[in-house]
């Protein structure tokens, strides 16, 4: 009897932990733009840190200096890290700085040409 009670309690705990993790994950709509128009971005919160991760089908724009840029719910933009890093590798995931209060859109921004290459919006701003 004690074994069954313990097993039921552990099962409930695993289900609760799984659903709380699912609540901390948000998927954007698809990227739309002239150069960044495939894939989406996922927002997760782990250990109090807000992280953005590109989907596996995202294709990096072939431009001189693409960067991550986010737009908050008030329309303020924050230029973040480079998308492409040393050795032609992609910075597929980034931690959002604490000073960014929420994220309404994620943009791929060309810092060289100062142009929006494409953006993916969340249904509701994520924190």
């Amino acid at each position: 009897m004690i074994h069954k009670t313990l097993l039921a309690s552990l099962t409930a705990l695993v289900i609760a932990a799984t659903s709380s993790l699912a609540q901390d994950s948000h998927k954007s709509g698809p990227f739309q733009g002239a150069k960044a128009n495939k894939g989406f971005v996922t927002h997760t919160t782990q250990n109090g840190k807000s992280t953005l991760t590109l989907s596996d089908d995202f294709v990096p724009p072939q431009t001189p200096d693409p960067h991550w840029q986010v737009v908050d719910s008030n329309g303020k933009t924050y230029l973040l890290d480079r998308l492409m890093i040393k050795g032609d590798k992609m910075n597929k995931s980034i931690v959002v700085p604490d000073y960014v209060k929420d994220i309404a859109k994620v943009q791929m921004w060309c810092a060289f040409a100062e142009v929006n290459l494409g953006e993916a919006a969340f249904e509701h701003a994520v924190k």
Side-chain angles (χ1 to χ4, degrees), residues 53-84:
T53 305
L54 295 168
S55 62
D56 290 336
D57 60 341
F58 177 81
V59 177
Q62 300 301 308
T63 59
D65 198 16
H67 278 68
W68 286 85
Q69 180 166 282
V70 295
V71 181
D72 70 14
S73 58
N74 292 321
K76 185 174 182 179
T77 59
Y78 301 89
L79 186 61
L80 303 176
D81 296 336
R82 287 177 168 231
L83 179 63
M84 303 308 292

PDB file of all heavy atoms in Angstrom, residues 53-84:
ATOM      1  N   THR A  53      15.728  30.591 -28.653  1.00  0.00           N
ATOM      2  CA  THR A  53      16.375  29.556 -29.442  1.00  0.00           C
ATOM      3  C   THR A  53      15.697  29.460 -30.800  1.00  0.00           C
ATOM      4  O   THR A  53      14.467  29.400 -30.882  1.00  0.00           O
ATOM      5  CB  THR A  53      16.295  28.186 -28.731  1.00  0.00           C
ATOM      6  OG1 THR A  53      16.858  28.322 -27.419  1.00  0.00           O
ATOM      7  CG2 THR A  53      17.027  27.114 -29.491  1.00  0.00           C
ATOM      8  N   LEU A  54      16.508  29.429 -31.849  1.00  0.00           N
ATOM      9  CA  LEU A  54      15.990  29.297 -33.205  1.00  0.00           C
ATOM     10  C   LEU A  54      15.644  27.848 -33.504  1.00  0.00           C
ATOM     11  O   LEU A  54      16.316  26.930 -33.026  1.00  0.00           O
ATOM     12  CB  LEU A  54      17.031  29.788 -34.215  1.00  0.00           C
ATOM     13  CG  LEU A  54      17.353  31.273 -34.146  1.00  0.00           C
ATOM     14  CD1 LEU A  54      18.593  31.585 -34.979  1.00  0.00           C
ATOM     15  CD2 LEU A  54      16.173  32.100 -34.604  1.00  0.00           C
ATOM     16  N   SER A  55      14.622  27.645 -34.319  1.00  0.00           N
ATOM     17  CA  SER A  55      14.234  26.295 -34.718  1.00  0.00           C
ATOM     18  C   SER A  55      15.286  25.716 -35.669  1.00  0.00           C
ATOM     19  O   SER A  55      16.079  26.447 -36.273  1.00  0.00           O
ATOM     20  CB  SER A  55      12.860  26.317 -35.389  1.00  0.00           C
ATOM     21  OG  SER A  55      12.902  27.098 -36.571  1.00  0.00           O
ATOM     22  N   ASP A  56      15.272  24.395 -35.803  1.00  0.00           N
ATOM     23  CA  ASP A  56      16.252  23.725 -36.655  1.00  0.00           C
ATOM     24  C   ASP A  56      16.095  24.072 -38.129  1.00  0.00           C
ATOM     25  O   ASP A  56      17.054  23.977 -38.895  1.00  0.00           O
ATOM     26  CB  ASP A  56      16.155  22.205 -36.477  1.00  0.00           C
ATOM     27  CG  ASP A  56      16.648  21.758 -35.114  1.00  0.00           C
ATOM     28  OD1 ASP A  56      17.460  22.479 -34.496  1.00  0.00           O
ATOM     29  OD2 ASP A  56      16.216  20.679 -34.656  1.00  0.00           O
ATOM     30  N   ASP A  57      14.888  24.487 -38.546  1.00  0.00           N
ATOM     31  CA  ASP A  57      14.687  24.816 -39.961  1.00  0.00           C
ATOM     32  C   ASP A  57      14.974  26.285 -40.287  1.00  0.00           C
ATOM     33  O   ASP A  57      14.829  26.705 -41.427  1.00  0.00           O
ATOM     34  CB  ASP A  57      13.273  24.439 -40.407  1.00  0.00           C
ATOM     35  CG  ASP A  57      12.176  25.155 -39.632  1.00  0.00           C
ATOM     36  OD1 ASP A  57      12.454  25.656 -38.520  1.00  0.00           O
ATOM     37  OD2 ASP A  57      11.038  25.195 -40.126  1.00  0.00           O
ATOM     38  N   PHE A  58      15.430  27.060 -39.289  1.00  0.00           N
ATOM     39  CA  PHE A  58      15.797  28.460 -39.545  1.00  0.00           C
ATOM     40  C   PHE A  58      17.022  28.494 -40.460  1.00  0.00           C
ATOM     41  O   PHE A  58      17.985  27.761 -40.256  1.00  0.00           O
ATOM     42  CB  PHE A  58      16.111  29.190 -38.236  1.00  0.00           C
ATOM     43  CG  PHE A  58      16.563  30.608 -38.436  1.00  0.00           C
ATOM     44  CD1 PHE A  58      15.634  31.610 -38.641  1.00  0.00           C
ATOM     45  CD2 PHE A  58      17.912  30.922 -38.448  1.00  0.00           C
ATOM     46  CE1 PHE A  58      16.050  32.927 -38.838  1.00  0.00           C
ATOM     47  CE2 PHE A  58      18.339  32.224 -38.643  1.00  0.00           C
ATOM     48  CZ  PHE A  58      17.399  33.226 -38.833  1.00  0.00           C
ATOM     49  N   VAL A  59      16.969  29.351 -41.473  1.00  0.00           N
ATOM     50  CA  VAL A  59      18.087  29.524 -42.399  1.00  0.00           C
ATOM     51  C   VAL A  59      18.679  30.912 -42.161  1.00  0.00           C
ATOM     52  O   VAL A  59      17.979  31.920 -42.307  1.00  0.00           O
ATOM     53  CB  VAL A  59      17.616  29.383 -43.866  1.00  0.00           C
ATOM     54  CG1 VAL A  59      18.768  29.626 -44.828  1.00  0.00           C
ATOM     55  CG2 VAL A  59      16.999  28.020 -44.095  1.00  0.00           C
ATOM     56  N   PRO A  60      19.963  30.993 -41.778  1.00  0.00           N
ATOM     57  CA  PRO A  60      20.550  32.304 -41.513  1.00  0.00           C
ATOM     58  C   PRO A  60      20.599  33.154 -42.774  1.00  0.00           C
ATOM     59  O   PRO A  60      20.921  32.656 -43.858  1.00  0.00           O
ATOM     60  CB  PRO A  60      21.970  31.980 -41.013  1.00  0.00           C
ATOM     61  CG  PRO A  60      22.239  30.587 -41.413  1.00  0.00           C
ATOM     62  CD  PRO A  60      20.919  29.906 -41.595  1.00  0.00           C
ATOM     63  N   PRO A  61      20.256  34.436 -42.646  1.00  0.00           N
ATOM     64  CA  PRO A  61      20.286  35.313 -43.820  1.00  0.00           C
ATOM     65  C   PRO A  61      21.723  35.511 -44.315  1.00  0.00           C
ATOM     66  O   PRO A  61      22.645  35.647 -43.526  1.00  0.00           O
ATOM     67  CB  PRO A  61      19.683  36.626 -43.314  1.00  0.00           C
ATOM     68  CG  PRO A  61      19.674  36.529 -41.834  1.00  0.00           C
ATOM     69  CD  PRO A  61      19.807  35.109 -41.448  1.00  0.00           C
ATOM     70  N   GLN A  62      21.897  35.505 -45.611  1.00  0.00           N
ATOM     71  CA  GLN A  62      23.211  35.696 -46.223  1.00  0.00           C
ATOM     72  C   GLN A  62      23.471  37.185 -46.402  1.00  0.00           C
ATOM     73  O   GLN A  62      23.405  37.726 -47.500  1.00  0.00           O
ATOM     74  CB  GLN A  62      23.273  34.940 -47.561  1.00  0.00           C
ATOM     75  CG  GLN A  62      23.043  33.450 -47.424  1.00  0.00           C
ATOM     76  CD  GLN A  62      24.070  32.786 -46.509  1.00  0.00           C
ATOM     77  OE1 GLN A  62      25.274  32.950 -46.677  1.00  0.00           O
ATOM     78  NE2 GLN A  62      23.586  32.047 -45.515  1.00  0.00           N
ATOM     79  N   THR A  63      23.743  37.844 -45.293  1.00  0.00           N
ATOM     80  CA  THR A  63      24.024  39.279 -45.282  1.00  0.00           C
ATOM     81  C   THR A  63      25.293  39.505 -44.466  1.00  0.00           C
ATOM     82  O   THR A  63      25.717  38.625 -43.712  1.00  0.00           O
ATOM     83  CB  THR A  63      22.847  40.072 -44.673  1.00  0.00           C
ATOM     84  OG1 THR A  63      22.618  39.603 -43.336  1.00  0.00           O
ATOM     85  CG2 THR A  63      21.578  39.902 -45.498  1.00  0.00           C
ATOM     86  N   PRO A  64      25.909  40.699 -44.582  1.00  0.00           N
ATOM     87  CA  PRO A  64      27.205  40.926 -43.941  1.00  0.00           C
ATOM     88  C   PRO A  64      27.252  40.806 -42.415  1.00  0.00           C
ATOM     89  O   PRO A  64      28.214  40.285 -41.888  1.00  0.00           O
ATOM     90  CB  PRO A  64      27.574  42.347 -44.352  1.00  0.00           C
ATOM     91  CG  PRO A  64      26.726  42.672 -45.511  1.00  0.00           C
ATOM     92  CD  PRO A  64      25.497  41.823 -45.397  1.00  0.00           C
ATOM     93  N   ASP A  65      26.245  41.256 -41.697  1.00  0.00           N
ATOM     94  CA  ASP A  65      26.364  41.315 -40.240  1.00  0.00           C
ATOM     95  C   ASP A  65      25.020  41.121 -39.540  1.00  0.00           C
ATOM     96  O   ASP A  65      24.528  42.010 -38.837  1.00  0.00           O
ATOM     97  CB  ASP A  65      26.978  42.657 -39.850  1.00  0.00           C
ATOM     98  CG  ASP A  65      27.536  42.674 -38.441  1.00  0.00           C
ATOM     99  OD1 ASP A  65      27.723  41.584 -37.857  1.00  0.00           O
ATOM    100  OD2 ASP A  65      27.772  43.774 -37.918  1.00  0.00           O
ATOM    101  N   PRO A  66      24.387  39.926 -39.678  1.00  0.00           N
ATOM    102  CA  PRO A  66      23.092  39.715 -39.024  1.00  0.00           C
ATOM    103  C   PRO A  66      23.232  39.597 -37.505  1.00  0.00           C
ATOM    104  O   PRO A  66      24.182  39.005 -37.003  1.00  0.00           O
ATOM    105  CB  PRO A  66      22.583  38.420 -39.640  1.00  0.00           C
ATOM    106  CG  PRO A  66      23.812  37.694 -40.072  1.00  0.00           C
ATOM    107  CD  PRO A  66      24.822  38.750 -40.422  1.00  0.00           C
ATOM    108  N   HIS A  67      22.286  40.208 -36.803  1.00  0.00           N
ATOM    109  CA  HIS A  67      22.252  40.205 -35.338  1.00  0.00           C
ATOM    110  C   HIS A  67      20.869  39.800 -34.850  1.00  0.00           C
ATOM    111  O   HIS A  67      19.875  39.970 -35.557  1.00  0.00           O
ATOM    112  CB  HIS A  67      22.514  41.623 -34.793  1.00  0.00           C
ATOM    113  CG  HIS A  67      23.938  42.004 -34.714  1.00  0.00           C
ATOM    114  ND1 HIS A  67      24.720  42.209 -35.832  1.00  0.00           N
ATOM    115  CD2 HIS A  67      24.728  42.257 -33.653  1.00  0.00           C
ATOM    116  CE1 HIS A  67      25.935  42.569 -35.452  1.00  0.00           C
ATOM    117  NE2 HIS A  67      25.960  42.600 -34.136  1.00  0.00           N
ATOM    118  N   TRP A  68      20.820  39.315 -33.625  1.00  0.00           N
ATOM    119  CA  TRP A  68      19.563  39.141 -32.908  1.00  0.00           C
ATOM    120  C   TRP A  68      19.098  40.528 -32.471  1.00  0.00           C
ATOM    121  O   TRP A  68      19.891  41.326 -31.977  1.00  0.00           O
ATOM    122  CB  TRP A  68      19.781  38.338 -31.648  1.00  0.00           C
ATOM    123  CG  TRP A  68      20.016  36.883 -31.795  1.00  0.00           C
ATOM    124  CD1 TRP A  68      21.206  36.264 -32.034  1.00  0.00           C
ATOM    125  CD2 TRP A  68      19.060  35.844 -31.649  1.00  0.00           C
ATOM    126  NE1 TRP A  68      21.044  34.912 -32.036  1.00  0.00           N
ATOM    127  CE2 TRP A  68      19.738  34.622 -31.797  1.00  0.00           C
ATOM    128  CE3 TRP A  68      17.689  35.827 -31.382  1.00  0.00           C
ATOM    129  CZ2 TRP A  68      19.091  33.397 -31.710  1.00  0.00           C
ATOM    130  CZ3 TRP A  68      17.053  34.610 -31.289  1.00  0.00           C
ATOM    131  CH2 TRP A  68      17.745  33.406 -31.456  1.00  0.00           C
ATOM    132  N   GLN A  69      17.833  40.813 -32.641  1.00  0.00           N
ATOM    133  CA  GLN A  69      17.240  42.035 -32.110  1.00  0.00           C
ATOM    134  C   GLN A  69      15.853  41.683 -31.602  1.00  0.00           C
ATOM    135  O   GLN A  69      15.130  40.917 -32.245  1.00  0.00           O
ATOM    136  CB  GLN A  69      17.159  43.116 -33.194  1.00  0.00           C
ATOM    137  CG  GLN A  69      16.555  44.424 -32.702  1.00  0.00           C
ATOM    138  CD  GLN A  69      16.804  45.556 -33.663  1.00  0.00           C
ATOM    139  OE1 GLN A  69      17.896  46.106 -33.693  1.00  0.00           O
ATOM    140  NE2 GLN A  69      15.806  45.917 -34.464  1.00  0.00           N
ATOM    141  N   VAL A  70      15.487  42.233 -30.440  1.00  0.00           N
ATOM    142  CA  VAL A  70      14.147  41.996 -29.914  1.00  0.00           C
ATOM    143  C   VAL A  70      13.412  43.322 -29.787  1.00  0.00           C
ATOM    144  O   VAL A  70      14.023  44.376 -29.630  1.00  0.00           O
ATOM    145  CB  VAL A  70      14.168  41.248 -28.554  1.00  0.00           C
ATOM    146  CG1 VAL A  70      14.733  39.858 -28.716  1.00  0.00           C
ATOM    147  CG2 VAL A  70      14.921  42.015 -27.502  1.00  0.00           C
ATOM    148  N   VAL A  71      12.099  43.223 -29.872  1.00  0.00           N
ATOM    149  CA  VAL A  71      11.214  44.386 -29.734  1.00  0.00           C
ATOM    150  C   VAL A  71      10.279  44.098 -28.572  1.00  0.00           C
ATOM    151  O   VAL A  71       9.656  43.031 -28.528  1.00  0.00           O
ATOM    152  CB  VAL A  71      10.402  44.624 -31.026  1.00  0.00           C
ATOM    153  CG1 VAL A  71       9.515  45.844 -30.889  1.00  0.00           C
ATOM    154  CG2 VAL A  71      11.314  44.732 -32.240  1.00  0.00           C
ATOM    155  N   ASP A  72      10.177  45.042 -27.624  1.00  0.00           N
ATOM    156  CA  ASP A  72       9.287  44.813 -26.482  1.00  0.00           C
ATOM    157  C   ASP A  72       7.868  45.264 -26.807  1.00  0.00           C
ATOM    158  O   ASP A  72       7.589  45.765 -27.897  1.00  0.00           O
ATOM    159  CB  ASP A  72       9.847  45.454 -25.200  1.00  0.00           C
ATOM    160  CG  ASP A  72       9.821  46.972 -25.197  1.00  0.00           C
ATOM    161  OD1 ASP A  72       9.143  47.605 -26.043  1.00  0.00           O
ATOM    162  OD2 ASP A  72      10.490  47.552 -24.321  1.00  0.00           O
ATOM    163  N   SER A  73       6.970  45.096 -25.869  1.00  0.00           N
ATOM    164  CA  SER A  73       5.555  45.409 -26.085  1.00  0.00           C
ATOM    165  C   SER A  73       5.300  46.901 -26.269  1.00  0.00           C
ATOM    166  O   SER A  73       4.240  47.292 -26.748  1.00  0.00           O
ATOM    167  CB  SER A  73       4.711  44.868 -24.932  1.00  0.00           C
ATOM    168  OG  SER A  73       5.146  45.414 -23.702  1.00  0.00           O
ATOM    169  N   ASN A  74       6.273  47.749 -25.922  1.00  0.00           N
ATOM    170  CA  ASN A  74       6.140  49.189 -26.130  1.00  0.00           C
ATOM    171  C   ASN A  74       6.789  49.645 -27.431  1.00  0.00           C
ATOM    172  O   ASN A  74       6.821  50.836 -27.727  1.00  0.00           O
ATOM    173  CB  ASN A  74       6.762  49.955 -24.959  1.00  0.00           C
ATOM    174  CG  ASN A  74       5.978  49.756 -23.680  1.00  0.00           C
ATOM    175  OD1 ASN A  74       4.750  49.708 -23.695  1.00  0.00           O
ATOM    176  ND2 ASN A  74       6.679  49.614 -22.567  1.00  0.00           N
ATOM    177  N   GLY A  75       7.359  48.713 -28.198  1.00  0.00           N
ATOM    178  CA  GLY A  75       7.994  49.048 -29.468  1.00  0.00           C
ATOM    179  C   GLY A  75       9.468  49.407 -29.356  1.00  0.00           C
ATOM    180  O   GLY A  75      10.091  49.759 -30.349  1.00  0.00           O
ATOM    181  N   LYS A  76      10.045  49.312 -28.173  1.00  0.00           N
ATOM    182  CA  LYS A  76      11.461  49.615 -27.993  1.00  0.00           C
ATOM    183  C   LYS A  76      12.296  48.436 -28.482  1.00  0.00           C
ATOM    184  O   LYS A  76      11.992  47.289 -28.165  1.00  0.00           O
ATOM    185  CB  LYS A  76      11.758  49.895 -26.520  1.00  0.00           C
ATOM    186  CG  LYS A  76      13.172  50.343 -26.263  1.00  0.00           C
ATOM    187  CD  LYS A  76      13.376  50.757 -24.825  1.00  0.00           C
ATOM    188  CE  LYS A  76      14.802  51.243 -24.631  1.00  0.00           C
ATOM    189  NZ  LYS A  76      15.051  51.672 -23.263  1.00  0.00           N
ATOM    190  N   THR A  77      13.342  48.730 -29.258  1.00  0.00           N
ATOM    191  CA  THR A  77      14.187  47.674 -29.798  1.00  0.00           C
ATOM    192  C   THR A  77      15.485  47.546 -29.005  1.00  0.00           C
ATOM    193  O   THR A  77      15.999  48.528 -28.461  1.00  0.00           O
ATOM    194  CB  THR A  77      14.534  47.931 -31.278  1.00  0.00           C
ATOM    195  OG1 THR A  77      15.215  49.181 -31.379  1.00  0.00           O
ATOM    196  CG2 THR A  77      13.293  47.944 -32.141  1.00  0.00           C
ATOM    197  N   TYR A  78      15.989  46.311 -28.960  1.00  0.00           N
ATOM    198  CA  TYR A  78      17.232  46.006 -28.261  1.00  0.00           C
ATOM    199  C   TYR A  78      18.104  45.173 -29.197  1.00  0.00           C
ATOM    200  O   TYR A  78      17.768  44.031 -29.511  1.00  0.00           O
ATOM    201  CB  TYR A  78      16.964  45.200 -26.988  1.00  0.00           C
ATOM    202  CG  TYR A  78      16.060  45.901 -26.011  1.00  0.00           C
ATOM    203  CD1 TYR A  78      14.667  45.735 -26.083  1.00  0.00           C
ATOM    204  CD2 TYR A  78      16.574  46.706 -25.006  1.00  0.00           C
ATOM    205  CE1 TYR A  78      13.831  46.362 -25.176  1.00  0.00           C
ATOM    206  CE2 TYR A  78      15.742  47.330 -24.093  1.00  0.00           C
ATOM    207  CZ  TYR A  78      14.370  47.164 -24.187  1.00  0.00           C
ATOM    208  OH  TYR A  78      13.539  47.780 -23.296  1.00  0.00           O
ATOM    209  N   LEU A  79      19.201  45.740 -29.655  1.00  0.00           N
ATOM    210  CA  LEU A  79      20.147  45.016 -30.489  1.00  0.00           C
ATOM    211  C   LEU A  79      20.988  44.123 -29.592  1.00  0.00           C
ATOM    212  O   LEU A  79      21.617  44.587 -28.641  1.00  0.00           O
ATOM    213  CB  LEU A  79      21.035  45.992 -31.264  1.00  0.00           C
ATOM    214  CG  LEU A  79      21.975  45.380 -32.296  1.00  0.00           C
ATOM    215  CD1 LEU A  79      21.191  44.650 -33.379  1.00  0.00           C
ATOM    216  CD2 LEU A  79      22.856  46.463 -32.903  1.00  0.00           C
ATOM    217  N   LEU A  80      20.993  42.830 -29.880  1.00  0.00           N
ATOM    218  CA  LEU A  80      21.683  41.870 -29.023  1.00  0.00           C
ATOM    219  C   LEU A  80      22.917  41.302 -29.737  1.00  0.00           C
ATOM    220  O   LEU A  80      23.619  42.024 -30.416  1.00  0.00           O
ATOM    221  CB  LEU A  80      20.711  40.771 -28.580  1.00  0.00           C
ATOM    222  CG  LEU A  80      19.452  41.272 -27.855  1.00  0.00           C
ATOM    223  CD1 LEU A  80      18.508  40.122 -27.533  1.00  0.00           C
ATOM    224  CD2 LEU A  80      19.805  42.030 -26.586  1.00  0.00           C
ATOM    225  N   ASP A  81      23.157  40.033 -29.611  1.00  0.00           N
ATOM    226  CA  ASP A  81      24.360  39.388 -30.137  1.00  0.00           C
ATOM    227  C   ASP A  81      24.320  39.174 -31.643  1.00  0.00           C
ATOM    228  O   ASP A  81      23.257  39.130 -32.258  1.00  0.00           O
ATOM    229  CB  ASP A  81      24.552  38.025 -29.468  1.00  0.00           C
ATOM    230  CG  ASP A  81      24.812  38.122 -27.982  1.00  0.00           C
ATOM    231  OD1 ASP A  81      25.297  39.178 -27.535  1.00  0.00           O
ATOM    232  OD2 ASP A  81      24.526  37.144 -27.271  1.00  0.00           O
ATOM    233  N   ARG A  82      25.518  38.955 -32.191  1.00  0.00           N
ATOM    234  CA  ARG A  82      25.637  38.563 -33.594  1.00  0.00           C
ATOM    235  C   ARG A  82      25.001  37.193 -33.793  1.00  0.00           C
ATOM    236  O   ARG A  82      25.081  36.331 -32.927  1.00  0.00           O
ATOM    237  CB  ARG A  82      27.098  38.448 -33.996  1.00  0.00           C
ATOM    238  CG  ARG A  82      27.787  39.745 -34.143  1.00  0.00           C
ATOM    239  CD  ARG A  82      29.255  39.510 -34.468  1.00  0.00           C
ATOM    240  NE  ARG A  82      29.822  40.771 -34.886  1.00  0.00           N
ATOM    241  CZ  ARG A  82      30.512  40.944 -35.987  1.00  0.00           C
ATOM    242  NH1 ARG A  82      30.785  39.905 -36.748  1.00  0.00           N
ATOM    243  NH2 ARG A  82      30.962  42.123 -36.309  1.00  0.00           N
ATOM    244  N   LEU A  83      24.417  37.004 -34.959  1.00  0.00           N
ATOM    245  CA  LEU A  83      23.865  35.697 -35.288  1.00  0.00           C
ATOM    246  C   LEU A  83      24.994  34.743 -35.697  1.00  0.00           C
ATOM    247  O   LEU A  83      25.053  33.613 -35.245  1.00  0.00           O
ATOM    248  CB  LEU A  83      22.838  35.808 -36.414  1.00  0.00           C
ATOM    249  CG  LEU A  83      22.203  34.497 -36.850  1.00  0.00           C
ATOM    250  CD1 LEU A  83      21.409  33.873 -35.722  1.00  0.00           C
ATOM    251  CD2 LEU A  83      21.319  34.705 -38.059  1.00  0.00           C
ATOM    252  N   MET A  84      25.872  35.217 -36.534  1.00  0.00           N
ATOM    253  CA  MET A  84      26.982  34.388 -37.008  1.00  0.00           C
ATOM    254  C   MET A  84      28.213  34.702 -36.165  1.00  0.00           C
ATOM    255  O   MET A  84      28.529  35.855 -35.906  1.00  0.00           O
ATOM    256  CB  MET A  84      27.261  34.644 -38.488  1.00  0.00           C
ATOM    257  CG  MET A  84      26.042  34.411 -39.383  1.00  0.00           C
ATOM    258  SD  MET A  84      25.208  32.816 -39.180  1.00  0.00           S
ATOM    259  CE  MET A  84      26.434  31.709 -39.813  1.00  0.00           C
TER     260      MET A  84
END
